[in-house]
Amino acid sequence: LAAALRQELGARASISVVQDTSEMGAGSLPALGLPTWCVTLQSGAMSADRIAPALRLGRIPVFTRIKDDRILLDVRTLQPGDDALVVAAFGDALPS
């Protein structure tokens, strides 16, 4: 997914992969974290605070979180075959 995003977005964003922790039960069990991997995105042209709503409100809604002014996409939440949809959504959210 990270490689496909790098190819789609080119110089529009910096993409990396990081280990992180997800909250279990949408915050209902805040003391318990679930280890996960996230694809991160940072753009010099748009803040994460502008990118996140563009992703949520796009033609292909993608929900992310923000950490250290980077978009984090928890890949644990994706289904097989979602990669192409996610790449298209990010391409729409970050205009060239």
Side-chain angles (χ1 to χ4, degrees):
L1 179 58
L5 284 167
R6 283 185 196 107
Q7 184 176 359
E8 171 71 20
L9 299 174
R12 292 183 279 170
S14 173
I15 307 292
S16 61
V17 177
V18 298
Q19 264 190 303
D20 204 50
T21 305
S22 296
E23 290 183 3
M24 293 177 58
S28 62
L29 297 169
L32 298 175
L34 185 64
T36 191
W37 287 93
C38 294
V39 174
T40 71
L41 177 143
Q42 190 167 29
S43 169
M46 288 176 71
S47 71
D49 289 329
R50 287 186 52 216
I51 297 168
L55 287 166
R56 280 193 309 274
L57 300 172
R59 67 183 172 90
I60 304 166
V62 175
F63 288 80
T64 61
R65 59 184 195 268
I66 299 172
K67 186 175 184 180
D68 300 326
D69 197 36
R70 292 183 300 169
I71 296 292
L72 272 73
L73 174 65
D74 190 342
V75 297
R76 181 182 57 81
T77 63
L78 299 178
Q79 298 294 314
D82 282 350
D83 289 11
L85 294 171
V86 169
V87 170
F90 274 80
D92 290 349
L94 283 118
S96 43

